[in-house]
Amino acid sequence: MSSTRSHDVTVLLIEDEAEIRRFLRSTLPAHGYRLYEATTGADGLAQASARNPDIILLDLGLPDMNGTAVIEKIRAWSNMPIIVLSARDQEQVKVQAFDLGADDYVTKPFGVDELLARMRAALRHATRPVGDGVDASCTFGDVTVDLGRRQVFVSGAEIHLTPIEYKLLTTLVRYAGKVVTHRQLLKEVWGPLHVDEGHYLRVYMRQLRNKIEADPAQPRHLVTELGVGYRLRTE
């Protein structure tokens, strides 16, 4: 998991079963994941919006609502990967979860190796441009973003990005060449509760430019579109 550790992949676990939470609390951080927990659907939805995690692990049997309702509500604003963890193995339950937008379904009890493999696959799929291979990458100037391994290189040397910086860069990579509005970037990187907090974007864009641009004051690739947003120029 060394390829994901450097960017502290954030996981939101929405699960009311204490034993499962203890198990994952001891397992996931040891493999480089940053874990947040919620025990109800309502708290899970609030944390998903506030934290905008990289991936969600979701139990269907929550005390206040069905997990399928959580999937439906999250899919109204985000495509973040959702893996269902459930003791329910009925085919119709799985079909409903997938139809509502779940990315995968792991039946309890499960082994840690299986869960980690499913998580890696879901994360790769979430960062891979349509039609590209598993280890898809994007290169512009001296910068290479390896989406499969979640690594960033400048002039061949790997650089460290914070989780927010990495998410901001890969969001721009997904829309390379197109203008991405301030509101859209704030929603995708920080979540829908932060769409009016443009100062977040300015601060992190400045930090990101300092790390990957040869001349941060005159950026060649992370271009400002005045009054609208930002664009990744790859030529």
Side-chain angles (χ1 to χ4, degrees):
M1 288 300 302
S2 59
S3 62
T4 59
R5 188 189 303 274
S6 62
H7 295 300
D8 296 325
V9 175
T10 54
V11 180
L12 173 59
L13 172 64
I14 308 176
E15 167 69 72
D16 68 325
E17 191 175 335
E19 186 177 345
I20 297 291
R21 293 201 312 277
R22 284 195 299 269
F23 170 63
L24 294 179
R25 194 182 301 144
S26 65
T27 300
L28 294 182
H31 287 82
Y33 294 99
R34 182 183 300 174
L35 180 65
Y36 299 104
E37 300 177 30
T39 58
T40 65
D43 186 28
L45 288 169
Q47 291 207 47
S49 179
R51 299 187 186 280
N52 203 27
D54 293 296
I55 189 168
I56 290 177
L57 304 179
L58 171 67
D59 179 33
L60 291 185
L62 298 170
D64 58 336
M65 68 176 72
N66 195 302
T68 54
V70 176
I71 299 173
E72 192 170 19
K73 290 178 183 296
I74 290 174
R75 282 292 173 260
W77 64 270
S78 175
N79 288 320
M80 65 179 65
I82 299 173
I83 297 180
V84 169
L85 308 178
S86 181
R88 308 177 194 174
D89 196 27
Q90 299 97 328
E91 183 177 351
Q92 63 269 30
V93 176
K94 291 184 179 181
V95 169
Q96 183 185 20
F98 282 122
D99 281 346
L100 290 171
D103 294 85
D104 207 343
Y105 193 110
V106 179
T107 303
K108 299 175 184 177
F110 52 83
V112 62
D113 289 339
E114 177 191 8
L115 178 62
L116 291 173
R118 299 287 189 96
M119 290 172 63
R120 290 194 295 271
L123 286 163
R124 283 198 302 268
H125 185 267
T127 58
R128 187 169 70 242
V130 175
D132 280 6
V134 169
D135 293 324
S137 64
C138 175
T139 299
F140 48 94
D142 295 328
V143 182
T144 296
V145 182
D146 189 322
L147 297 168
R149 294 182 173 85
R150 300 177 69 90
Q151 293 173 302
V152 180
F153 301 86
V154 177
S155 299
E158 184 176 5
I159 64 168
H160 173 76
L161 299 183
T162 67
I164 290 292
E165 290 167 353
Y166 182 77
K167 189 173 287 188
L168 178 57
L169 179 59
T170 55
T171 300
L172 289 168
V173 165
R174 288 206 317 273
Y175 299 101
K178 299 180 180 180
V179 177
V180 188
T181 66
H182 299 126
R183 188 177 183 86
Q184 185 175 359
L185 280 170
L186 287 163
K187 181 178 178 180
E188 294 203 21
V189 178
W190 282 272
L193 296 182
H194 302 285
V195 293
D196 296 318
E197 301 183 39
H199 60 284
Y200 285 1
L201 193 50
R202 290 190 294 274
V203 169
Y204 280 93
M205 183 60 73
R206 181 169 63 249
Q207 293 176 187
L208 190 54
R209 283 171 169 163
N210 285 336
K211 291 183 177 182
I212 73 172
E213 292 279 5
D215 182 0
Q218 299 290 328
R220 175 184 170 193
H221 301 293
L222 301 177
V223 180
T224 299
E225 298 290 346
L226 288 176
V228 180
Y230 297 93
R231 176 168 55 92
L232 175 63
R233 188 164 59 196
T234 57
E235 69 274 8

